[in-house]
Amino acid sequence: MKQSVRDMAQNLTERRGNGATDPGVNQACQQGADIKAFTGRGRARVRRNAELDRIHVAMDQLAALTLQVPGRGFYLIVHRRSSTGQHALRWRSIAGGRHLPWASMPALFDAQLPALATWYRTAQARVEELNRAESLARLALRQLAVKPR
């Protein structure tokens, strides 16, 4: 004798013991589960955080590299804002330790030996690239935090 689909489903539910279908059943393995983890934004946030970490490492490496230039009059530091976590590369003078404005850097590069001036211009291009990438990565993280409606 053939069973109807409804009867087959009922039999299957009874054999499972209601744990899979009855939400009122307290399962020890589910007590620590957080349903917010399944919003679909977790992987994107992890990828963005990893991207931001890679940018910060590259900033630190470039700043350390400028400290190795013999006879340097200026070097890069990573400026970190504690309130936002933002990182930015800035030029700093050896004499006085003050920050140097972006506008003054081309003249300072030109005062160096030609090979060193070229190296500093390449480093400056990388500074601008990393600062822009950090800003965009941080913006992407903020946009992930905003819940779509």
Side-chain angles (χ1 to χ4, degrees):
M1 176 165 128
K2 287 188 173 181
Q3 288 183 330
S4 69
V5 174
R6 174 178 255 150
D7 292 336
M8 290 169 62
Q10 182 66 31
N11 288 339
L12 184 60
T13 302
E14 289 172 2
R15 276 187 267 151
R16 283 188 184 163
N18 284 348
T21 59
D22 186 2
V25 173
N26 187 4
Q27 295 180 359
C29 65
Q30 294 294 318
Q31 288 181 358
D34 181 8
I35 60 170
K36 287 190 175 197
F38 302 107
T39 60
R41 287 184 256 155
R43 287 186 184 165
R45 180 169 290 284
V46 168
R47 277 194 309 272
R48 297 288 185 196
N49 278 333
E51 179 183 346
L52 199 56
D53 288 344
R54 281 191 300 273
I55 293 167
H56 291 167
V57 166
M59 287 177 155
D60 290 335
Q61 289 172 344
L62 185 57
L65 195 59
T66 62
L67 288 172
Q68 296 173 6
V69 175
R72 68 188 176 278
F74 43 88
Y75 59 98
L76 285 170
I77 62 148
V78 179
H79 177 74
R80 294 171 174 88
R81 290 186 183 213
S82 59
S83 60
T84 63
Q86 177 190 9
H87 290 55
L89 284 164
R90 290 185 175 180
W91 289 104
R92 182 172 268 190
S93 172
I94 291 286
R98 60 178 169 51
H99 291 292
L100 298 169
W102 294 107
S104 70
M105 295 316 295
L108 291 172
F109 295 155
D110 290 339
Q112 306 299 314
L113 295 172
L116 194 55
T118 302
W119 186 87
Y120 274 124
R121 284 189 199 94
T122 304
Q124 176 62 26
R126 183 72 175 140
V127 165
E128 292 172 11
E129 178 185 321
L130 288 170
N131 283 346
R132 185 174 32 258
E134 202 274 349
S135 179
L136 291 174
R138 190 162 298 289
L139 174 66
L141 272 174
R142 281 194 307 269
Q143 289 174 343
L144 280 175
V146 175
K147 294 182 181 179
R149 292 183 182 214

Short mmCIF file of all heavy atoms in Angstrom, two decimals, residues 31-63:
data_model
loop_
_atom_site.label_atom_id
_atom_site.label_comp_id
_atom_site.label_asym_id
_atom_site.label_seq_id
_atom_site.Cartn_x
_atom_site.Cartn_y
_atom_site.Cartn_z
N GLN A 31 23.26 26.30 22.42
CA GLN A 31 23.12 27.36 23.40
C GLN A 31 24.08 28.52 23.15
O GLN A 31 23.73 29.66 23.40
CB GLN A 31 23.31 26.81 24.81
CG GLN A 31 22.13 25.98 25.24
CD GLN A 31 22.30 25.45 26.65
OE1 GLN A 31 23.31 25.69 27.28
NE2 GLN A 31 21.30 24.75 27.13
N GLY A 32 25.26 28.26 22.64
CA GLY A 32 26.23 29.32 22.41
C GLY A 32 26.13 29.92 21.02
O GLY A 32 26.89 30.82 20.68
N ALA A 33 25.20 29.46 20.19
CA ALA A 33 25.10 29.95 18.82
C ALA A 33 24.54 31.37 18.80
O ALA A 33 23.64 31.71 19.55
CB ALA A 33 24.21 29.03 17.99
N ASP A 34 25.10 32.17 17.94
CA ASP A 34 24.66 33.55 17.77
C ASP A 34 24.10 33.69 16.37
O ASP A 34 24.82 33.56 15.39
CB ASP A 34 25.85 34.48 17.97
CG ASP A 34 25.49 35.95 17.84
OD1 ASP A 34 24.28 36.25 17.75
OD2 ASP A 34 26.39 36.78 17.84
N ILE A 35 22.81 33.97 16.26
CA ILE A 35 22.21 34.05 14.93
C ILE A 35 22.68 35.28 14.17
O ILE A 35 22.59 35.33 12.96
CB ILE A 35 20.66 34.02 15.00
CG1 ILE A 35 20.13 35.20 15.81
CG2 ILE A 35 20.17 32.71 15.52
CD1 ILE A 35 18.64 35.38 15.72
N LYS A 36 23.23 36.28 14.85
CA LYS A 36 23.74 37.45 14.15
C LYS A 36 24.99 37.14 13.33
O LYS A 36 25.35 37.89 12.44
CB LYS A 36 24.06 38.57 15.14
CG LYS A 36 22.84 39.23 15.69
CD LYS A 36 23.21 40.45 16.46
CE LYS A 36 21.95 41.16 16.89
NZ LYS A 36 22.20 42.51 17.28
N ALA A 37 25.61 36.02 13.62
CA ALA A 37 26.80 35.65 12.86
C ALA A 37 26.46 35.30 11.42
O ALA A 37 27.31 35.28 10.57
CB ALA A 37 27.48 34.46 13.53
N PHE A 38 25.20 35.08 11.13
CA PHE A 38 24.79 34.65 9.81
C PHE A 38 24.13 35.78 9.01
O PHE A 38 23.23 35.54 8.23
CB PHE A 38 23.86 33.44 9.92
CG PHE A 38 24.51 32.30 10.65
CD1 PHE A 38 24.12 31.99 11.93
CD2 PHE A 38 25.54 31.59 10.08
CE1 PHE A 38 24.73 30.95 12.63
CE2 PHE A 38 26.16 30.56 10.76
CZ PHE A 38 25.75 30.24 12.02
N THR A 39 24.60 36.99 9.19
CA THR A 39 24.03 38.12 8.44
C THR A 39 24.64 38.25 7.07
O THR A 39 24.18 39.04 6.26
CB THR A 39 24.24 39.45 9.20
OG1 THR A 39 25.64 39.65 9.38
CG2 THR A 39 23.52 39.45 10.54
N GLY A 40 25.72 37.53 6.78
CA GLY A 40 26.33 37.56 5.48
C GLY A 40 27.44 38.58 5.33
O GLY A 40 28.02 38.71 4.27
N ARG A 41 27.73 39.34 6.37
CA ARG A 41 28.76 40.36 6.26
C ARG A 41 30.05 39.96 6.96
O ARG A 41 31.02 40.70 6.92
CB ARG A 41 28.26 41.68 6.86
CG ARG A 41 27.25 42.34 5.95
CD ARG A 41 26.85 43.65 6.51
NE ARG A 41 25.53 43.46 7.08
CZ ARG A 41 25.04 44.18 8.04
NH1 ARG A 41 25.74 45.14 8.57
NH2 ARG A 41 23.85 43.97 8.50
N GLY A 42 30.10 38.83 7.59
CA GLY A 42 31.28 38.42 8.34
C GLY A 42 32.51 38.20 7.49
O GLY A 42 33.58 38.69 7.80
N ARG A 43 32.36 37.49 6.38
CA ARG A 43 33.51 37.22 5.52
C ARG A 43 34.05 38.50 4.90
O ARG A 43 35.25 38.67 4.76
CB ARG A 43 33.15 36.23 4.44
CG ARG A 43 32.99 34.84 4.97
CD ARG A 43 32.77 33.86 3.87
NE ARG A 43 32.54 32.54 4.44
CZ ARG A 43 32.05 31.54 3.80
NH1 ARG A 43 31.73 31.68 2.53
NH2 ARG A 43 31.87 30.39 4.39
N ALA A 44 33.16 39.39 4.50
CA ALA A 44 33.60 40.65 3.90
C ALA A 44 34.39 41.46 4.92
O ALA A 44 35.42 42.06 4.59
CB ALA A 44 32.40 41.45 3.39
N ARG A 45 33.93 41.48 6.16
CA ARG A 45 34.64 42.23 7.21
C ARG A 45 36.02 41.63 7.46
O ARG A 45 37.00 42.35 7.62
CB ARG A 45 33.83 42.25 8.50
CG ARG A 45 34.52 43.02 9.61
CD ARG A 45 33.61 43.28 10.78
NE ARG A 45 32.57 44.21 10.50
CZ ARG A 45 32.73 45.54 10.41
NH1 ARG A 45 33.91 46.05 10.59
NH2 ARG A 45 31.73 46.34 10.16
N VAL A 46 36.10 40.31 7.47
CA VAL A 46 37.40 39.65 7.68
C VAL A 46 38.35 40.00 6.54
O VAL A 46 39.52 40.31 6.77
CB VAL A 46 37.21 38.12 7.82
CG1 VAL A 46 38.55 37.39 7.73
CG2 VAL A 46 36.50 37.79 9.12
N ARG A 47 37.84 39.96 5.30
CA ARG A 47 38.68 40.30 4.14
C ARG A 47 39.14 41.75 4.23
O ARG A 47 40.30 42.05 3.96
CB ARG A 47 37.92 40.08 2.84
CG ARG A 47 37.92 38.66 2.35
CD ARG A 47 37.46 38.57 0.91
NE ARG A 47 36.21 39.25 0.64
CZ ARG A 47 35.00 38.73 0.76
NH1 ARG A 47 34.87 37.48 1.16
NH2 ARG A 47 33.92 39.42 0.49
N ARG A 48 38.25 42.66 4.60
CA ARG A 48 38.61 44.08 4.69
C ARG A 48 39.61 44.31 5.81
O ARG A 48 40.53 45.10 5.66
CB ARG A 48 37.36 44.95 4.92
CG ARG A 48 36.37 44.91 3.82
CD ARG A 48 36.86 45.63 2.61
NE ARG A 48 35.80 45.65 1.63
CZ ARG A 48 35.96 45.93 0.37
NH1 ARG A 48 37.15 46.23 -0.08
NH2 ARG A 48 34.96 45.92 -0.44
N ASN A 49 39.43 43.63 6.94
CA ASN A 49 40.40 43.76 8.04
C ASN A 49 41.76 43.24 7.62
O ASN A 49 42.79 43.83 7.96
CB ASN A 49 39.91 43.03 9.29
CG ASN A 49 38.93 43.85 10.09
OD1 ASN A 49 38.96 45.08 10.06
ND2 ASN A 49 38.05 43.19 10.81
N ALA A 50 41.78 42.12 6.90
CA ALA A 50 43.05 41.57 6.42
C ALA A 50 43.72 42.53 5.45
O ALA A 50 44.93 42.73 5.49
CB ALA A 50 42.82 40.21 5.77
N GLU A 51 42.92 43.15 4.58
CA GLU A 51 43.46 44.13 3.63
C GLU A 51 44.05 45.32 4.38
O GLU A 51 45.14 45.79 4.07
CB GLU A 51 42.35 44.59 2.69
CG GLU A 51 42.78 45.62 1.68
CD GLU A 51 41.61 46.09 0.82
OE1 GLU A 51 40.55 45.46 0.82
OE2 GLU A 51 41.79 47.11 0.14
N LEU A 52 43.34 45.80 5.38
CA LEU A 52 43.82 46.93 6.18
C LEU A 52 45.10 46.55 6.92
O LEU A 52 46.04 47.35 6.99
CB LEU A 52 42.73 47.36 7.16
CG LEU A 52 42.82 48.74 7.76
CD1 LEU A 52 42.90 49.82 6.70
CD2 LEU A 52 41.63 48.99 8.67
N ASP A 53 45.17 45.34 7.45
CA ASP A 53 46.39 44.87 8.12
C ASP A 53 47.58 44.84 7.17
O ASP A 53 48.68 45.22 7.53
CB ASP A 53 46.17 43.49 8.74
CG ASP A 53 45.26 43.52 9.95
OD1 ASP A 53 45.04 44.61 10.51
OD2 ASP A 53 44.75 42.44 10.34
N ARG A 54 47.34 44.37 5.93
CA ARG A 54 48.43 44.33 4.93
C ARG A 54 48.92 45.75 4.62
O ARG A 54 50.13 45.98 4.48
CB ARG A 54 47.95 43.65 3.65
CG ARG A 54 47.93 42.14 3.72
CD ARG A 54 47.72 41.51 2.37
NE ARG A 54 46.47 41.89 1.74
CZ ARG A 54 45.30 41.29 1.91
NH1 ARG A 54 45.22 40.25 2.73
NH2 ARG A 54 44.22 41.69 1.30
N ILE A 55 48.00 46.70 4.52
CA ILE A 55 48.38 48.09 4.25
C ILE A 55 49.21 48.64 5.41
O ILE A 55 50.23 49.29 5.20
CB ILE A 55 47.13 48.95 3.99
CG1 ILE A 55 46.45 48.52 2.69
CG2 ILE A 55 47.47 50.43 3.96
CD1 ILE A 55 45.06 49.07 2.51
N HIS A 56 48.79 48.37 6.64
CA HIS A 56 49.52 48.86 7.82
C HIS A 56 50.92 48.26 7.89
O HIS A 56 51.88 48.95 8.25
CB HIS A 56 48.73 48.57 9.09
CG HIS A 56 47.48 49.37 9.21
ND1 HIS A 56 46.50 49.09 10.13
CD2 HIS A 56 47.04 50.45 8.52
CE1 HIS A 56 45.51 49.96 10.00
NE2 HIS A 56 45.83 50.79 9.03
N VAL A 57 51.06 46.99 7.54
CA VAL A 57 52.39 46.36 7.53
C VAL A 57 53.27 47.02 6.47
O VAL A 57 54.44 47.32 6.72
CB VAL A 57 52.27 44.83 7.29
CG1 VAL A 57 53.61 44.21 6.95
CG2 VAL A 57 51.66 44.16 8.51
N ALA A 58 52.70 47.28 5.29
CA ALA A 58 53.47 47.94 4.22
C ALA A 58 53.89 49.35 4.65
O ALA A 58 55.01 49.78 4.34
CB ALA A 58 52.64 48.00 2.94
N MET A 59 53.03 50.05 5.37
CA MET A 59 53.38 51.39 5.88
C MET A 59 54.55 51.29 6.86
O MET A 59 55.49 52.08 6.78
CB MET A 59 52.17 52.04 6.57
CG MET A 59 51.10 52.51 5.64
SD MET A 59 49.72 53.17 6.61
CE MET A 59 49.00 54.28 5.42
N ASP A 60 54.47 50.35 7.77
CA ASP A 60 55.54 50.17 8.76
C ASP A 60 56.86 49.84 8.07
O ASP A 60 57.92 50.33 8.47
CB ASP A 60 55.17 49.08 9.76
CG ASP A 60 54.05 49.49 10.71
OD1 ASP A 60 53.86 50.70 10.93
OD2 ASP A 60 53.35 48.58 11.22
N GLN A 61 56.80 48.98 7.05
CA GLN A 61 58.02 48.59 6.34
C GLN A 61 58.64 49.77 5.60
O GLN A 61 59.86 49.95 5.62
CB GLN A 61 57.71 47.45 5.36
CG GLN A 61 57.43 46.14 6.04
CD GLN A 61 56.94 45.07 5.08
OE1 GLN A 61 56.53 45.36 3.95
NE2 GLN A 61 56.97 43.83 5.53
N LEU A 62 57.80 50.59 4.95
CA LEU A 62 58.33 51.75 4.22
C LEU A 62 58.93 52.76 5.19
O LEU A 62 60.01 53.31 4.94
CB LEU A 62 57.23 52.40 3.38
CG LEU A 62 57.67 53.56 2.49
CD1 LEU A 62 58.78 53.13 1.53
CD2 LEU A 62 56.48 54.11 1.72
N ALA A 63 58.29 52.97 6.32
CA ALA A 63 58.82 53.90 7.33
C ALA A 63 60.17 53.39 7.85
O ALA A 63 61.12 54.17 8.00
CB ALA A 63 57.83 54.06 8.48
#
